[in-house]
Amino acid sequence: MFKKILIANRGEIAVRILRACRELGIQSVAVFSEVDRKSLHVRLADEAYPIGPAPSRESYLRIDKLLDVARRSGCDAVHPGYGFLAENAALPRACVDAGLTFIGPPAEAMEALGSKTAGRQLARRADVPIVPGTNDPIEKPLEAQALAHSMGYPVLLKAVAGGGGKGMRLVYSDAEFDSAFREASSEAMNAFGDARLYLEKYLERPRHVEIQIFADAHGRVVSLGERECSVQRRHQKVIEEAPSPIVTPDLRKKMGDAAVRLARAGGYVNAGTVEFLLDAHLNFYFLEVNTRLQVEHPVTEQVTGLDLVKLQIAIAAGHRLPFAWETITPRGHAMEVRLYAEDPDNNFFPSPGKILSRNVPSGPGIRLDDGVYEGWTVPNDYDPLLSKLIAWGNSREETIARLRRALEEYSATGIKTNAGLFRRILSEPEFLRGEIHTKWLDELLHRPISVASVPDEKEDAASDAAAIAAALWQATRSESQSNPASATGETPSRWKLEGRRQQLDRTP
Ligand code: ADP
């Protein structure tokens, strides 16, 4: 087993990994950028080293700096977490060259499955159904347009290197195709340094169901069942649960088998997730493989009783998977909400700042995977994920009741959070019946009730004060030609926030 692991990440996932290390008796080494000096992961790790300024390109994305810390601190393995370098094959390659073990798949498997078009090609060969579309990057937009026309609109243009919904455009007609193509490819170029696009038929109101797989280096590949992630805002997950309210044991077996076939075809090792879209007739279509630990892995942990991070570490150390797929059946129900420092009443703009006070939930069936603490300042340089709140219960109903109760206990002042949004979702009759799809939340948010109208006694005083301050600020602003924001360090103007939003890397 390893003696010391470098955690090449920050926030809640770095904390999650170092906790697994501690339980295994492995030393943990954290890294931090200038704005993360006082972060929770730095406080909790056995050792911590600075790796440069706030922009991730100069710190968390610098393989040379990370490996230098690993060498200086005497690490024997590297865990990438999710986001940042987690799906960049250059990291496992550099680790091998430096004599370090990468806790994740080999670079070749990452490449074979991580690129969306390579994944589609492999899926076709492994007899896994895929969403209709192109399996190679588009070289001639006119030909792609003709294909879109013959498949029937709407279609989705997607970035080959995609992630976080970037470089994705929904196209409804021939007339829109050309401009959508140019926009999506320039967005993909900016986000990934790779402008290539491909095309998929746009499925109307599908459900997002994904399979957690694990593979050891001795040829055993297993499925640990599904997670449903259909509650999304603008194609980004906000609530995840296991098992899916709609997946039958038979469908679970079919999707699990398909995911395992694909992982085998790609020579996969360690934890991975095969994402599918499910149509109204329960036909499933391969979407992509995430070659890393997912943000939502805790819901699988809660229903399987396994610790996926410890399992990742054991497999990287060469251990065999100690079970067969047949032995894993989900027990009870688990659900996760992603708590963000963002403002639901202001188009979900990030709301970084100092956490003045916080009340965190606990009690039966509640788990909080935390990345922050009271008194810490959430920086505005990274994805503003604060914590993940996970509930477990014997049934979906009990799980929802526990999660709702926990969200009532949760409060934070100094920053805005999206907790009110979850309180609303968990009271929606359609959600309670499990009648959800990937556009469900976007449609809900366009209905006329404001999230702010959901009662939240603990935040009432703070939001009243904020409303009065905002009104005063507006009044001062209209009386004066000068810009109070720049003069007083007050709330920055909306366009500035919008610009920043685009620079943020959204948690995958
Ligand atoms: P990214 O990697 O950028 O997050 P994904 O391919 O994983 O993109 O898709 C993210 C989400 O976008 C899906 O969960 C789904 O809601 C939506 N989506 C992607 N492809 C399609 C499609 N062909 N039809 C309908 N919705 C889609």
Side-chain angles (χ1 to χ4, degrees), residues 134 136-138 157-160 167 180-181 184-185 188 195-199:
T134 59
D136 287 306
I138 297 169
L157 283 167
K158 294 172 82 171
V160 170
F181 190 91
S185 59
R196 291 174 307 157
L197 302 179
Y198 73 106
L199 189 72

Side-chain angles (χ1 to χ4, degrees), residues 116 131-132 156 158 162-166 168 192 198 200-206 208 229-230 232 234-237 275-277 287-288 290 438-439 508:
K116 297 209 183 201
V131 183
L156 261 186
K158 294 172 82 171
K166 289 185 196 124
M168 208 193 268
F192 314 111
Y198 73 106
E200 268 179 19
K201 172 84 187 141
Y202 184 68
L203 303 185
E204 297 284 354
R205 300 176 159 179
H208 176 119
C229 317
S230 296
Q232 302 185 351
R234 297 189 181 161
H235 301 313
Q236 301 300 304
K237 302 162 186 170
E275 296 190 331
F276 295 99
L277 293 179
L287 193 58
E288 66 165 340
N290 286 322
T438 56
K439 297 304 286 176

Side-chain angles (χ1 to χ4, degrees), residues 335-358:
M335 197 174 279
E336 172 185 283
V337 297
R338 301 184 182 194
L339 290 166
Y340 276 96
E342 61 184 18
D343 184 357
D345 282 331
N346 191 16
N347 211 10
F348 295 89
F349 284 134
S351 171
K354 185 165 181 173
I355 304 172
L356 298 177
S357 71
R358 218 165 61 114

Side-chain angles (χ1 to χ4, degrees), residues 57 159-168 184 186-196:
R57 295 210 168 281
V160 170
K166 289 185 196 124
M168 208 193 268
S186 88
E187 193 175 300
M189 187 65 201
N190 286 338
F192 314 111
D194 180 349
R196 291 174 307 157

Side-chain angles (χ1 to χ4, degrees), residues 4 35 42 64 114-115 126 128 144 169 179 184 207 232 253 256-257 345 348 355 420:
K4 219 184 222 191
V35 287
V42 174
D64 55 340
S115 135
V128 173
R169 282 289 181 289
S179 61
R207 298 175 77 119
Q232 302 185 351
K253 170 97 173 76
D257 287 349
D345 282 331
F348 295 89
I355 304 172

